[in-house]
Amino acid sequence: MSIYDSLNNMQQEATFHTDGPLLILAGAGSGKTRVLTHRIVYLIEEVGVNPYNILAITFTNKAAGEMRERVDQLVGFGSEAIWVSTFHSMCVRILRRYIDRLGYETNFTIYDSDDSKTLMKDVCKRLNIDTKMLREKFILGEISRAKDELWSPEKMRERSAGDFQGAQIARCYREYQEELKRNNALDFDDLIVKTIELFQKEPEVLNYYQERFQYIMVDEYQDTNTAQFELISLLAKKYQNLCVVGDDDQSIYKFRGANIKNILNFEQVFPNTRTIKLEQNYRSTKRILQAANSVIANNVGRKDKALWTENDEGDKVRFLQFDSAYDEADYIAHNIKEEVMDQGNYTYSDIACLYRTNAQSRLLEERLMFLSVPYKIVGGVNFYQRKEIKDLLAYLKTVDSGNDEIAVRRILNVPRRGIGATSISKISDYAAQQRITFFEALSFAGDAGAPRAQGKIDGFIEMIHDFRKEQEFLSLHELATDILEKTGYLAALRDEKTDEARDRIANIEELINKIVDYENNVDEEEPTLSGFLEEVALISDLDRLNEEDDYVTLMTVHAAKGLEFPQVYLSGMEDGLFPSYMSITSGDESDVEEERRLCYVAITRAMESLTVSCAKSRMVNGEWRNSNISRFVLEIDPEVVDASGRGMALHRRQVLEEDPLSSSAKAAFSRKPGNYTKQASFEHREKPADFLASMGVQKGMSSVNNLEEGLSYQVGDRVKHIKFGQGLVTEIKKMPKDYQVTVEFDQVGVRKLFAAFAKLKKI
């Protein structure tokens, strides 16, 4: 029996199509990774492609690791020649070899967000930028967006003509890049931008990698930004054997720079594209998929497709509306405990609670803790962002390369050596004036205006040089341990004798474990300090999710992308929360469509059971605010929804018995049962006004008829929008709850807007 017999018909088509551009539209849970790995095997075994000529790219280290493991199992001998990598890891490997052609040294440092922020503080100080008015984080965000679009500092300056704030950011951008280069450092965005710059400047380097990677596969293509699209286009230009896999319905990272047009317009960019749809879902029940399909079908900017499955029909989607957010969280916590402890239907690790924003986790945490339900928040404080970890990594970076000013400054006085901030600032200014690195400038502290600090600094310099010599005969973990002992860092923590200090020591021990793990499993011939620092720099919090521990997972929907759970609770389904208030009021329907895709992702995380809930009122910024049921809930096919609220009376009794001293619980449950959860019927789905009234969302909703009478414009009229400027109305379309107005704006092109929110004015 062939390994390809286990694939369905469409999966086989995608696997066997090897020449020319290929777009695989892979719906949620449709087995796309299976297709990619089998396609690699088919290229090698049936087409005769050398593994050396294959490149597979994905977005996270976890996904790349899983793909690498599957490829190794299927291909066997020779699989190590295949590049299975994230975008950033691939670029690091290329730049380590050729970045000297751009004027950098090949042992460059990779800056994380904290390093970049520290550097930007110095830049702002040097340029006399008021960081109370223009914060470093905002400046860095604008620079990151510019790099995503491949804008140089000069282009940003040109685009900001007449905009004082934009001009200030452009100045910071230019100085920031100069400082990065002086430190022989790159930030995350630079890894891709500099690789593109290298390819454009050095045709022979580009040709080398075009010949090397004659067959390219890109996973999660809907998440690519403009820079990543350009990078892949350059690599694939010669042979055109580019296979991209993605789902436009799961494009949810616009805020990170993802450009959905990359997948929607793929056939136009590559005219000879073959498009194959993977619509069979292996994850969820029929009813869950029906719910997801009915929601996403309301999006206009998408490719037509619908998930289906041979799985069981499954339970209906439960919908519950509560009087308050407290009631909602309390019910979820009790229901989870009942499902696990009383009924034994699931383990805690089978269950996920999803929400739109991180702030929503607080109430869930409180109620889960009260019931002794174990949980973990994914997306909390990153291990590698903890102070003690960043301190040790800064020492290792300084030993590896003294070019990184951020790293050197971080540990110059850690533990305390009596070197003042004024001395450090003078040395930094001296380094900038002399165009040398901060580490080099340390030897000239006297010339820099800090003569009294010279003796203490000389001891630090000598210690770093000694550590560098130790690399010749010590392993990496021995070197790290020696640094901790000789600097006195570990001794200082031990002397504190506090719980916090003990926790920090445990974290340091875990980092040592990581170093040992790297040494034992590194792909290169021998482990290197640079290699370890690269690996650490590319690790994300989600990559370390431990799937073996038994706890309920709490996370935002964004963090849940790519995961699946037998039972899912989707809370806070209220207009203004999900979809967000900003998306509703922006006047751009594409913002609501992004939120709808996010809802689609949330629904399709559920395998067997899905509970959707909302609250009539929620505390926001210290005030109680009333909420309407999310429009996305109203879009779910009523045939698959159970809104009966069965079992609520029992839950009310349990809470009062288990939490007798909770005044908020008593207040919540002193009301009549009918007020606790809205037992709305979905029988009137075809009558929007009646249905909305039955769900208690009359307030704030404009009827279509009233809206029609209020429109001051018609097709052919010129109108003005507060954000998009002036344009021509080309179409007005009647929708269930509003009018969709299509406007061709002079500056931004065609936009589809809802009349109630767009507030267009006839001109």
Side-chain angles (χ1 to χ4, degrees), residues 186-385:
L186 303 178
D187 64 20
F188 254 47
D189 296 314
D190 281 333
L191 295 176
I192 295 175
V193 172
K194 292 301 178 184
T195 304
I196 294 172
E197 185 181 332
L198 174 67
F199 286 165
Q200 292 173 336
K201 182 181 178 182
E202 303 289 339
E204 71 275 13
V205 175
L206 173 60
N207 184 68
Y208 169 80
Y209 284 105
Q210 286 176 335
E211 289 293 332
R212 170 74 192 266
F213 303 129
Q214 297 180 22
Y215 290 85
I216 302 172
M217 280 160 277
V218 184
D219 194 9
E220 303 289 2
Y221 190 69
Q222 77 281 347
D223 294 334
T224 55
N225 58 35
T226 300
Q228 290 163 337
F229 167 78
E230 179 64 22
L231 176 64
I232 294 302
S233 297
L234 286 168
L235 284 172
K237 187 175 182 180
K238 187 170 187 176
Y239 288 100
Q240 298 280 304
N241 293 324
L242 173 62
C243 168
V244 300
V245 184
D247 182 6
D248 53 298
D249 289 335
Q250 297 187 73
S251 179
I252 60 174
Y253 295 121
K254 182 180 179 180
F255 68 98
R256 292 183 186 171
N259 188 349
I260 193 173
K261 292 181 180 178
N262 290 348
I263 191 168
L264 292 179
N265 298 338
F266 187 82
E267 291 113 324
Q268 284 71 51
V269 178
F270 297 92
N272 299 319
T273 295
R274 170 78 183 282
T275 301
I276 297 174
K277 299 178 182 179
L278 303 182
E279 298 171 290
Q280 182 175 358
N281 176 281
Y282 294 91
R283 173 188 298 157
S284 306
T285 63
K286 286 183 173 67
R287 280 172 167 160
I288 289 174
L289 293 185
Q290 194 172 339
N293 287 334
S294 60
V295 171
I296 201 62
N298 289 274
N299 269 8
V300 176
R302 66 184 293 263
K303 291 181 177 292
D304 184 45
K305 55 190 174 301
L307 294 176
W308 62 275
T309 186
E310 293 180 350
N311 293 343
D312 294 338
E313 189 173 38
D315 296 332
K316 286 187 174 184
V317 175
R318 285 191 296 174
F319 171 66
L320 302 168
Q321 184 186 29
F322 299 90
D323 282 331
S324 70
Y326 177 94
D327 298 338
E328 179 187 35
D330 201 71
Y331 170 80
I332 291 173
H334 276 84
N335 196 242
I336 288 173
K337 187 168 186 179
E338 180 183 351
E339 291 277 6
V340 176
M341 302 303 294
D342 298 341
Q343 299 181 14
N345 295 332
Y346 299 99
T347 63
Y348 287 126
S349 59
D350 289 334
I351 301 172
C353 298
L354 308 183
Y355 35 80
R356 178 64 181 84
T357 66
N358 278 308
Q360 292 171 250
S361 71
R362 182 182 67 85
L363 286 173
L364 285 168
E365 288 187 77
E366 288 179 359
R367 302 319 300 156
L368 290 172
M369 282 191 289
F370 173 76
L371 296 176
S372 300
V373 174
Y375 71 91
K376 178 179 180 181
I377 295 182
V378 173
V381 177
N382 190 309
F383 176 83
Y384 293 98
Q385 297 302 314

Side-chain angles (χ1 to χ4, degrees), residues 423-553:
S423 296
I424 293 174
S425 180
K426 288 180 179 179
I427 295 169
S428 180
D429 290 341
Y430 180 82
Q433 294 167 6
Q434 300 298 318
R435 313 304 294 177
I436 59 177
T437 68
F438 179 80
F439 187 80
E440 290 171 336
L442 289 176
S443 299
F444 304 97
D447 294 341
R452 287 186 295 178
Q454 187 69 72
K456 301 168 185 175
I457 291 174
D458 286 343
F460 172 80
I461 295 172
E462 183 178 355
M463 180 180 63
I464 295 299
H465 284 308
D466 288 340
F467 288 144
R468 288 176 177 174
K469 293 175 184 177
E470 290 180 0
Q471 290 185 87
E472 299 176 7
F473 55 90
L474 291 182
S475 65
L476 294 183
H477 75 272
E478 288 171 339
L479 173 64
T481 301
D482 201 47
I483 289 173
L484 289 166
E485 294 294 343
K486 289 184 177 178
T487 59
Y489 193 98
L490 209 53
L493 286 176
R494 290 178 183 137
D495 290 342
E496 286 186 27
K497 298 179 181 179
T498 63
D499 289 340
E500 182 180 355
R502 282 189 282 271
D503 287 341
R504 289 185 174 182
I505 292 172
N507 289 334
I508 290 172
E509 291 172 348
E510 186 58 30
L511 183 61
I512 299 297
N513 292 342
K514 170 63 183 175
I515 297 174
V516 173
D517 183 67
Y518 163 79
E519 289 177 312
N520 292 335
N521 297 285
V522 66
D523 290 332
E524 290 86 0
E525 291 183 3
E526 61 178 330
T528 64
L529 182 53
S530 296
F532 170 73
L533 292 172
E534 286 171 17
E535 182 166 310
V536 167
L538 297 172
I539 289 177
S540 70
D541 188 52
L542 191 58
D543 289 334
R544 296 190 305 280
L545 178 61
N546 186 346
E547 297 172 351
E548 296 179 357
D549 292 345
D550 190 25
Y551 51 73
V552 176
T553 300

Side-chain angles (χ1 to χ4, degrees), residues 603-621:
I603 293 172
T604 54
R605 298 312 94 196
M607 301 167 68
E608 301 170 8
S609 172
L610 174 63
T611 299
V612 178
S613 61
C614 66
K616 290 181 182 179
S617 61
R618 188 176 297 272
M619 185 171 284
V620 180
N621 199 27

Side-chain angles (χ1 to χ4, degrees), residues 578-615:
F578 199 177
S580 69
Y581 177 76
M582 289 182 62
S583 69
I584 294 173
T585 57
S586 71
D588 186 351
E589 178 60 15
S590 68
D591 291 337
V592 175
E593 291 206 352
E594 170 112 351
E595 292 280 298
R596 188 175 284 112
R597 292 193 294 270
L598 190 60
C599 181
Y600 173 82
V601 167
I603 293 172
T604 54
R605 298 312 94 196
M607 301 167 68
E608 301 170 8
S609 172
L610 174 63
T611 299
V612 178
S613 61
C614 66

Side-chain angles (χ1 to χ4, degrees), residues 128-169:
N128 294 318
I129 302 293
D130 185 355
T131 54
K132 292 182 180 179
M133 300 296 293
L134 196 59
R135 296 190 177 277
E136 299 95 333
K137 188 174 182 180
F138 176 75
I139 297 172
L140 288 169
E142 292 300 298
I143 291 174
S144 180
R145 277 184 279 276
K147 291 181 179 181
D148 284 348
E149 295 299 323
L150 296 176
W151 296 350
S152 65
E154 291 71 28
K155 185 170 183 178
M156 179 183 254
R157 179 178 55 81
E158 292 171 3
R159 292 181 65 90
S160 61
D163 176 7
F164 177 75
Q165 178 174 283
Q168 292 285 77
I169 294 173

